Amino acid sequence: EWKSLIQKALSQETRLKVIISNLVDISKMEVGKLTFQFERFPVQEFLDECIDNALLGEPARSVTRDYHLGGITLRADRIRVGQVMNNLLSNAFKYSPGDRPVIVSAHADASRLIVSVEDFGPGIEAAHTEKIFNLFFRSNQTEGVPGMGVGLYISQQIIGAHEGKLWVKTEKGKGAAFFFSLPLEGISER
């Protein structure tokens, strides 16, 4: 029984750290002080690491990996883009039924990396597809699901700072697929 209590306490500590970190990031964004450390890294290894880390906290879940990358590398802030992946995977796990895998797809065209995280949850009402990227917005479909409505806002700011895009394709009752694209050469030097 004490092991269960310790596990619950550690889980709550992790959630508090994420909340505090998110609020600090939002504060930095508001004053234009969110910093980025750009480096070049292999995309497939990065995505596998993000998925494997997410599955540590959700061992009963499964992820289907659909990559068409051919060994490409990306110049970006690995930790910040990892934050985006973690948020998208966490949301997919929260809203998708446990017996269906989450699908992570990735491919590149001539100039961009495009990644998607798809779930088979309730989907998002058409009226909310733009609002979900607003700070603190939570649709009525999220009742009973923990969250503050900050993850997608932070993710959009991070992707935007990389001169990329973040968007969703969804149909109510048929799940949601969140996409982001990033320029393969990284952002222009400023």
Side-chain angles (χ1 to χ4, degrees):
E1 186 178 305
W2 61 270
K3 282 184 182 178
S4 172
L5 291 173
I6 290 172
Q7 192 62 42
K8 285 179 183 173
L10 289 172
S11 176
Q12 290 303 315
E13 178 191 24
T14 301
R15 287 182 66 198
L16 281 173
K17 283 180 181 175
V18 168
I19 290 168
I20 292 166
S21 175
N22 283 341
L23 293 174
V24 168
D25 281 350
I26 290 166
S27 298
K28 288 178 178 179
M29 287 172 189
E30 296 296 313
V31 295
K33 299 284 186 192
L34 190 66
T35 58
F36 296 89
Q37 302 294 322
F38 289 86
E39 61 181 296
R40 187 163 287 285
F41 52 89
V43 175
Q44 184 163 329
E45 173 192 295
F46 164 76
L47 292 174
D48 282 337
E49 180 182 299
C50 292
I51 293 166
D52 293 344
N53 286 342
L55 287 170
L56 286 175
E58 297 278 353
R61 301 307 304 240
S62 65
V63 175
T64 299
R65 304 169 204 224
D66 180 22
Y67 305 150
H68 304 276
L69 295 166
I72 64 162
T73 61
L74 180 68
R75 184 178 172 276
D77 185 316
R78 186 179 182 129
I79 291 174
R80 294 289 183 197
V81 178
Q83 228 179 313
V84 172
M85 278 300 297
N86 185 55
N87 178 257
L88 297 180
L89 287 164
S90 173
N91 285 349
F93 291 157
K94 275 192 238 181
Y95 295 107
S96 194
D99 61 340
R100 301 284 302 270
V102 168
I103 301 170
V104 175
S105 302
H107 70 278
D109 63 20
S111 62
R112 302 176 306 158
L113 167 69
I114 300 162
V115 176
S116 68
V117 177
E118 181 180 2
D119 69 55
F120 297 95
I124 301 162
E125 291 177 35
H128 294 165
T129 56
E130 292 302 318
K131 294 178 188 172
I132 58 171
F133 297 103
N134 293 348
L135 185 57
F136 300 125
F137 179 81
R138 299 198 76 214
S139 82
N140 51 11
Q141 293 168 268
T142 62
E143 280 182 37
V145 180
M148 294 175 55
V150 299
L152 288 174
Y153 171 80
I154 291 171
S155 294
Q156 188 174 59
Q157 299 301 309
I158 290 169
I159 296 298
H162 283 77
E163 296 178 358
K165 286 184 185 173
L166 175 65
W167 70 98
V168 64
K169 288 184 181 174
T170 182
E171 197 174 329
K172 193 166 183 221
K174 296 189 177 176
F178 283 84
F179 295 79
F180 65 87
S181 67
L182 293 171
L184 286 176
E185 289 311 306
I187 68 168
S188 51
E189 298 296 327
R190 294 177 198 161

